[in-house]
C-alpha cells in the first residue's frame, strides 16, 4: 500500500512505537538490573540506567557461589537438551513422514492419524506417565531423560508430510529409473529439497527445547543437571535468603541470548522455509 | 538396440480395467508413438513398460527378456517426463550424472559421457546452472540429456513437449526425431497431439479406452483408418461424418439422393466420412451439397469453411484454397470427391469401405 496520509502515518507510528516500548521496556529493566548489585535493587525507585556491576555479577554467576550450579553448566545442559530435542525431532519426524508419504503399507492412514492425534496432547497432559517411564528406566538426571520424551513430534511429522506432498511424484519415478533405492532417494532428493523446512523447524524446535521448564524441573534433582531456564526459578527460591535479583536478571539475560542468536542467524532461511514454494 | 514385444497386456486398478489386452511389436530402432485422447491408457501403458506401474496380466519383453518383474533401473530404459522431473536442487551436470553415479561408474567416465551428451544437445554452457534458471526448452533438453547419458536400450517419452509453446514444440519435435534417428535407439513416445504423432512416428499406435484401435505407419492410418474413431482422431481438422441411407440404387443424405457408389455393397444406415481436404472443386461431380457458411477460419495457406447444410446435423468442415472468397452467411456449394469417401457401419463404427 502506497498512501500519503500524514494522520494515518502518525497513528500507525504511534501504535508501533507503543508496541515496541511495551516489549522492550521489561527487557531494558532486565539489562539494567543485571548491572547493579543486590543492595541497589532493593531500594526504591528501581534504577533505570545501567550500573557498573555487570562484570562482577557475571563472574559471580560463573563461579557458582551462593547458589546451585555455575551458569556455564546449566547453559551447557540447556544447549545439549535443546539440540538433542531439535535434532531428534527432525530426524524422527522426517523419516516417519517419508514412510507415510512414499510407502504403501497396511494401516498407513491409521498410523498417520495416530500421529496426528497426538498433536492435541501437549507434554503436560502425559507428563506423569512419562515421568514414571523415565524413572523406571533410571534416566532421571541424565541428558537422555531430559530430551528423549520430548522428541516425538506430531507437528514436525505433519509439516514434513505436507512438504513431501508438494514434491512431484515424477521426481521419485525419475530417481527410480536412475536406479536410486528408496533411502538413496530420501537422502539425495527429499532431504535436500526440504532443507529450508528443516531449518525453519530447527529454529522453532530449538526455542521450544530451550524454553522447556516443567519437564526438566521434574526429571532433574541434581543441580549439575539443571537447565538454565529452570535455574532462574530455583534461584528465586534459594532458601530463606533474599532473592538475588541482579544475578537472576543476568541469568535471564544470558538465557535469552541463544534463542535470539538462532533466530537472527537463521531468519532468512526460516522465513523462506515457511513460505517457500519454488518447487 | 533392442526390440520390445508387448503381449496381451492388461491393467486394472481395483475394479476398473484401464488396459484391455494390448499387443504391440516394436522393431529395433523404431520410433513408436502412442496416441489417443486423454484417459485412453497411453501413459499407463508407457509407465508399465518403464516399470513404474505393475502389470496385471500379459507380458512385456525387451530384447526377448520378460521384464514384468524387473525394477525400472534393470530394464535398460530411460524416460523423459512431461514436467521433466529434473532434480531442482542439483546442477544440470549433477542431474545428468546422478544415474551414472548410482551405476558406480568411474568419475572420469561419467565426466566424459555427460560432456559428450551436453555437446550433442548444445547445453554445455548450462552444466553448472540449476534447472530453475533454465527456460522450458533448455529444461527439456536437459531431461533428454539425462535420458541419453544412461545409454539406454529404450527411450520412453511421456508427452515431453506439451509444456512448451507452439513454436518451440515444432523445433523440439524435429530435434527429438533427428536425435533418435542418429542414436538409433528404440523409442516409445506418448502424445495426445495427432500432428506430433503423425510427424514423428515410424509406427503409430492409436489407443482408445485401453485398446489399440489401429497400429500402422502414419500414412497407412491416415489413408486407411480401420474405424470411425481412428478416422476422426487422425487428421486435422478431423473428418466429417455424415449419416446416410443406402439402398440398391441410391444413397440418401437428408433429403438429397445420389447414385450409390459401386464399391458400397452394404445396405441400410451407414456413416460416410469425408476429410475436409478431400472436397473437390469439380463442378460436374454429382455429390454436391449447398449450405450456408457459418464460420470462416483463415489459416493463411488455406481457409476452413464451416458449412451448414440442411441435410446434416453437424456443419461440414471444408478446407479450401486461400483464394476462395466466402463470407459468413453466403451460400456455398461443395462437392465430395467420390474416390475419397469412407464408409463406416453405423453401429459397430468399423470401416466397411
Amino acid at each position: 500500500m502506497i498512501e500519503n496520509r500524514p494522520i494515518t502515518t502518525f497513528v500507525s507510528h504511534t501504535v508501533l512505537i507503543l508496541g515496541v516500548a511495551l516489549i522492550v521496556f521489561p527487557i531494558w529493566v532486565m539489562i539494567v538490573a543485571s548491572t547493579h548489585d543486590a543492595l541497589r535493587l532493593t531500594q526504591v525507585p528501581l534504577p533505570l540506567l545501567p550500573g557498573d556491576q555487570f562484570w562482577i555479577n557475571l563472574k559471580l554467576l560463573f563461579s557458582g557461589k551462593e547458589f546451585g550450579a555455575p551458569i556455564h553448566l546449566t547453559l551447557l545442559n540447556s544447549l545439549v537438551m535443546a539440540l538433542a530435542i531439535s535434532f531428534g525431532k527432525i530426524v524422527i519426524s522426517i523419516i516417519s513422514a517419508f514412510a507415510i508419504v512414499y510407502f504403501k503399507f497396511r494401516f498407513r492412514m491409521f498410523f498417520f492419524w495416530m500421529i496426528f492425534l497426538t498433536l492435541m496432547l501437549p507434554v503436560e497432559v502425559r507428563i506423569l506417565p512419562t515421568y514414571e517411564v523415565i524413572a523406571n528406566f533410571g534416566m532421571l538426571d541424565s541428558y537422555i531423560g531430559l530430551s528423549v520424551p520430548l522428541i516425538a513430534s506430531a507437528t514436525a511429522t505433519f509439516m514434513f508430510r505436507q512438504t513431501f506432498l508438494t514434491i512431484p511424484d515424477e521426481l521419485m519415478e525419475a530417481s527410480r529409473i536412475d536406479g536410486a533405492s528408496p533411502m538413496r532417494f530420501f537422502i539425495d532428493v527429499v532431504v535436500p529439497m526440504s532443507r529450508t523446512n528443516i531449518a525453519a523447524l530447527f529454529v522453532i524446535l530449538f526455542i521450544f527445547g530451550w524454553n522447556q521448564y516443567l519437564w526438566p524441573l521434574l526429571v532433574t534433582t541434581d543441580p549439575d543437571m539443571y537447565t538454565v531456564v529452570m535455574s532462574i526459578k530455583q534461584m528465586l527460591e534459594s532458601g530463606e535468603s533474599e532473592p538475588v535479583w541482579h544475578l537472576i536478571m543476568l541469568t535471564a539475560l544470558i538465557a535469552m541470548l541463544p534463542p535470539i542468536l538462532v533466530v537472527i542467524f537463521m531468519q532468512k532461511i526460516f522465513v523462506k522455509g515457511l513460505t517457500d514454494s519454488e518447487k | 538396440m533392442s526390440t520390445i514385444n508387448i503381449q496381451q497386456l492388461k491393467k486394472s486398478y481395483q475394479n476398473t480395467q484401464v488396459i484391455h489386452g494390448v499387443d504391440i511389436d516394436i522393431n529395433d530402432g523404431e520410433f513408436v508413438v502412442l496416441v489417443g485422447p486423454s484417459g485412453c491408457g497411453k501413459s499407463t501403458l508407457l509407465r508399465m513398460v518403464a516399470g513404474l506401474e505393475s502389470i496385471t496380466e500379459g507380458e512385456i519383453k525387451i530384447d526377448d527378456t520378460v521384464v514384468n518383474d524387473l525394477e525400472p533401473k534393470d530394464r535398460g530404459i530411460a524416460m523423459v517426463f512431461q514436467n521433466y522431473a529434473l532434480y531442482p536442487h542439483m546442477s544440470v551436470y549433477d542431474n545428468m550424472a546422478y544415474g551414472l553415479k548410482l551405476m558406480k561408474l568411474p568419475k572420469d567416465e561419467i565426466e566424459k559421457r555427460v560432456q559428450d551428451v551436453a555437446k550433442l544437445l548444445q547445453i554445455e554452457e548450462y552444466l553448472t546452472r540449476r534447472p530453475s534458471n533454465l527456460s522450458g526448452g533448455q529444461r527439456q533438453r536437459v531431461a533428454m540429456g539425462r535420458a541419453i547419458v544412461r545409454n539406454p536400450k529404450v527411450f520412453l517419452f511421456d508427452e515431453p513437449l506439451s509444456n512448451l509453446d507452439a513454436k518451440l514444440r515444432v523445433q523440439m519435435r524435429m530435434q527429438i526425431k533427428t536425435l533418435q534417428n542418429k542414436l538409433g535407439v528404440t523409442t516409445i513416445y506418448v502424445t495426445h497431439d495427432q500432428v506430433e504423432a503423425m510427424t514423428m512416428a515410424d509406427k503409430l499406435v492409436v489407443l482408445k479406452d485401453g485398446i489399440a484401435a489401429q497400429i500402422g505407419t502414419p500414412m497407412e492410418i491416415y489413408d486407411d483408418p480401420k474405424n470411425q474413431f481412428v478416422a476422426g482422431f487422425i487428421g486435422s481438422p478431423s473428418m466429417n461424418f455424415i449419416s446416410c441411407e443406402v439402398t440398391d440404387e441410391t444413397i440418401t443424405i437428408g433429403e438429397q439422393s445420389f447414385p450409390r457408389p459401386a464399391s458400397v455393397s452394404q445396405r441400410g444406415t451407414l456413416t460416410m466420412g469425408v476429410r475436409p481436404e478431400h472436397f473437390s472443386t469439380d463442378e460436374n461431380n454429382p455429390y454436391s451439397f449447398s449450405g450456408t457458411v457459418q464460420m470462416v477460419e483463415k489459416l493463411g495457406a488455406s481457409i476452413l469453411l464451416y458449412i451448414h447444410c440442411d441435410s446434416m446435423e453437424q456443419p461440414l468442415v471444408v478446407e479450401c484454397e486461400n483464394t476462395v472468397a466466402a463470407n459468413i452467411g453466403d451460400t456455398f456449394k461443395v462437392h465430395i470427391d467420390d474416390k475419397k469417401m469412407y464408409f463406416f457401419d453405423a453401429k459397430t463404427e468399423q470401416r466397411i469401405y
Side-chain angles (χ1 to χ4, degrees):
Chain A
M1 252 196 317
I2 299 171
E3 285 178 72
N4 192 11
R5 291 189 199 152
I7 296 181
T8 322
T9 315
F10 176 76
V11 171
S12 50
H13 274 81
T14 318
V15 170
L16 285 176
I17 289 169
L18 273 177
V20 169
L22 214 61
I23 292 169
V24 168
F25 182 70
I27 296 176
W28 175 249
V29 169
M30 176 174 79
I31 294 172
V32 168
S34 67
T35 58
H36 288 276
D37 56 19
L39 189 64
R40 174 72 185 82
L41 288 180
T42 55
Q43 296 162 356
V44 189
L46 275 176
L48 283 178
L49 291 174
D52 52 1
Q53 300 292 305
F54 182 75
W55 297 110
I56 299 167
N57 292 343
L58 202 62
K59 224 178 250 170
L60 259 174
L61 268 188
F62 276 101
S63 71
K65 272 176 219 151
E66 299 198 22
F67 53 83
I71 192 166
H72 53 269
L73 253 186
T74 57
L75 272 177
L76 178 76
N77 293 339
S78 274
L79 189 72
V80 170
M81 179 179 78
L83 286 179
I85 289 175
S86 8
F87 280 118
K89 268 186 192 250
I90 287 173
V91 168
I92 288 189
S93 54
I94 200 170
I95 290 176
S96 44
F98 181 66
I100 284 172
V101 173
Y102 285 100
F103 291 88
K104 291 202 170 61
F105 52 89
R106 264 164 162 271
F107 305 123
R108 180 164 75 134
M109 283 325 273
F110 169 77
F111 282 117
F112 172 68
W113 283 108
M114 285 304 285
I115 294 175
F116 192 71
L117 274 178
T118 59
L119 259 179
M120 293 153 203
L121 294 179
V123 179
E124 291 74 17
V125 174
R126 54 182 169 89
I127 205 156
L128 282 177
T130 314
Y131 179 81
E132 176 80 15
V133 171
I134 294 298
N136 287 342
F137 273 128
M139 289 180 183
L140 296 178
D141 279 325
S142 72
Y143 288 136
I144 296 180
L146 269 175
S147 48
V148 167
L150 299 175
I151 277 178
S153 171
T155 330
T157 311
F158 188 68
M159 244 189 93
F160 279 126
R161 173 181 177 267
Q162 298 308 98
T163 314
F164 294 172
L165 288 180
T166 66
I167 298 180
D169 282 347
E170 280 86 353
L171 279 187
M172 190 255 286
E173 289 165 353
S175 75
R176 259 181 85 188
I177 289 176
D178 270 339
S181 63
M183 276 328 271
R184 264 240 93 88
F185 168 66
F186 176 67
I187 292 164
D188 288 346
V189 179
V190 172
V191 172
M193 282 187 70
S194 351
R195 63 191 189 286
T196 47
N197 294 74
I198 293 175
L201 262 180
F202 177 79
V203 173
I204 298 172
L205 295 178
F206 182 84
I207 293 170
F208 164 85
W210 186 268
N211 287 344
Q212 278 308 311
Y213 171 67
L214 187 58
W215 180 249
L217 195 65
L218 275 180
V219 285
T220 55
T221 45
D222 177 359
D224 280 353
M225 288 305 295
Y226 284 177
T227 63
V228 72
V229 174
M230 63 176 282
S231 76
I232 298 172
K233 180 71 172 36
Q234 300 292 322
M235 287 157 80
L236 273 172
E237 291 169 350
S238 48
E240 319 283 279
S241 57
E242 285 285 312
V244 280
W245 282 114
H246 57 306
L247 298 182
I248 293 171
M249 285 304 168
L250 186 58
T251 313
L253 182 65
I254 293 173
M256 231 172 63
L257 290 179
I260 289 180
L261 289 180
V262 167
V263 171
I264 288 177
F265 283 114
M266 301 190 77
Q267 188 192 26
K268 246 193 200 150
I269 202 165
F270 173 73
V271 173
K272 210 174 154 208
L274 291 183
T275 57
D276 194 17
S277 59
E278 52 138 325
K279 263 152 221 149
Chain B
M1 305 299 110
S2 52
T3 59
I4 304 172
N5 303 88
I6 297 172
Q7 285 159 12
Q8 276 308 304
L9 196 68
K10 290 178 188 167
K11 173 78 187 175
S12 317
Y13 293 107
Q14 275 118 32
N15 300 320
T16 37
Q17 194 166 359
V18 290
I19 296 198
H20 308 262
V22 171
D23 297 274
I24 307 172
D25 287 314
I26 301 172
N27 299 329
D28 183 27
E30 219 169 12
F31 196 111
V32 175
V33 175
L34 305 181
V35 68
S38 27
C40 69
K42 53 191 190 302
S43 281
T44 313
L45 190 60
L46 186 80
R47 293 162 54 83
M48 283 161 88
V49 177
L52 299 171
E53 297 274 357
S54 62
I55 294 167
T56 313
E57 225 177 287
E59 239 175 34
I60 296 178
K61 285 187 197 165
I62 297 179
D63 271 346
D64 296 320
T65 323
V66 178
V67 295
N68 284 21
D69 298 319
L70 288 185
E71 272 291 301
K73 66 175 161 99
D74 301 322
R75 297 189 180 195
I77 52 134
M79 185 154 167
V80 177
F81 294 85
Q82 179 173 0
N83 62 5
Y84 319 135
L86 299 173
Y87 309 117
H89 58 287
M90 294 186 196
S91 68
V92 168
Y93 181 92
D94 289 332
N95 261 291
M96 288 167 66
Y98 185 60
L100 303 181
K101 276 180 195 155
L102 293 178
M103 286 181 204
K104 304 226 158 60
L105 291 183
K107 257 225 164 82
D108 41 335
E109 160 99 28
I110 295 177
E111 169 89 29
K112 189 179 167 304
R113 276 216 218 171
V114 173
Q115 290 293 353
D116 286 352
V117 173
K119 196 174 284 171
L120 183 71
L121 293 168
Q122 298 163 342
I123 48 174
E124 294 145 290
E125 57 214 275
Y126 313 128
L127 281 178
T128 53
R129 290 208 208 158
R130 290 276 173 89
S132 51
N133 298 331
L134 299 178
S135 69
Q138 291 162 345
R139 282 183 213 186
Q140 172 65 50
R141 289 214 291 275
V142 175
M144 280 174 51
R146 186 171 65 181
I148 296 171
V149 88
R150 307 190 65 223
N151 259 340
K153 291 194 278 189
V154 180
F155 280 141
L156 304 175
F157 291 92
D158 189 1
E159 308 208 17
L161 303 183
S162 49
N163 285 358
L164 301 178
D165 62 63
K167 201 172 171 192
L168 205 53
R169 203 177 302 166
V170 176
Q171 269 177 26
M172 288 305 296
R173 197 161 81 196
M174 207 179 64
Q175 278 194 12
I176 293 181
K177 180 72 183 159
T178 325
L179 207 63
Q180 190 268 345
N181 246 328
K182 194 152 121 194
L183 301 169
V185 178
T186 315
T187 301
I188 305 181
Y189 186 105
V190 163
T191 180
H192 61 262
D193 179 350
Q194 57 96 16
V195 178
E196 236 169 69
M198 290 291 284
T199 50
M200 297 175 86
D202 295 328
K203 185 187 270 174
L204 196 54
V205 179
V206 184
L207 286 171
K208 191 206 179 192
D209 300 335
I211 296 171
Q214 189 168 356
I215 302 178
T217 66
M219 282 323 282
E220 266 169 33
I221 290 182
Y222 176 82
D223 286 337
D224 194 13
K226 270 190 185 157
N227 54 48
Q228 200 177 329
F229 170 77
V230 176
F233 193 79
I234 298 296
S236 165
S238 53
M239 192 185 267
N240 296 293
F241 294 112
I242 306 160
S243 164
C244 59
E245 204 69 40
V246 181
T247 62
D248 288 347
E249 299 301 320
T250 59
I251 166 166
T252 311
I253 298 169
E255 312 280 275
Q256 288 174 278
S257 292
F258 306 99
R260 175 174 64 85
S263 60
V264 181
S265 53
Q266 187 170 321
R267 308 287 186 262
T269 310
L270 300 182
T271 306
M272 181 164 82
V274 188
R275 292 198 184 276
E277 57 270 38
H278 288 164
F279 288 91
S280 90
T281 46
D282 180 5
E283 292 289 329
N284 301 321
N285 192 309
Y287 300 95
S288 64
F289 299 88
S290 38
T292 43
V293 177
Q294 268 189 337
M295 170 83 150
V296 182
E297 284 184 350
K298 290 174 179 139
L299 301 180
S302 61
I303 293 180
L304 294 183
L305 300 177
Y306 290 71
I307 296 170
H308 177 77
C309 303
D310 291 335
S311 48
M312 295 164 218
E313 290 170 18
Q314 300 282 330
L316 273 182
V317 184
V318 180
E319 187 173 350
C320 46
E321 285 175 23
N322 59 3
T323 49
V324 172
N327 292 310
I328 295 176
D330 289 359
T331 307
F332 199 85
K333 198 164 186 193
V334 290
H335 312 275
I336 298 175
D337 188 343
D338 54 351
K339 289 176 210 75
K340 300 254 172 88
M341 286 178 189
Y342 298 88
F343 286 91
F344 304 92
D345 189 300
K347 281 208 191 70
T348 60
E349 300 196 340
Q350 292 301 306
R351 165 121 179 268
I352 35 189
Y353 310 107

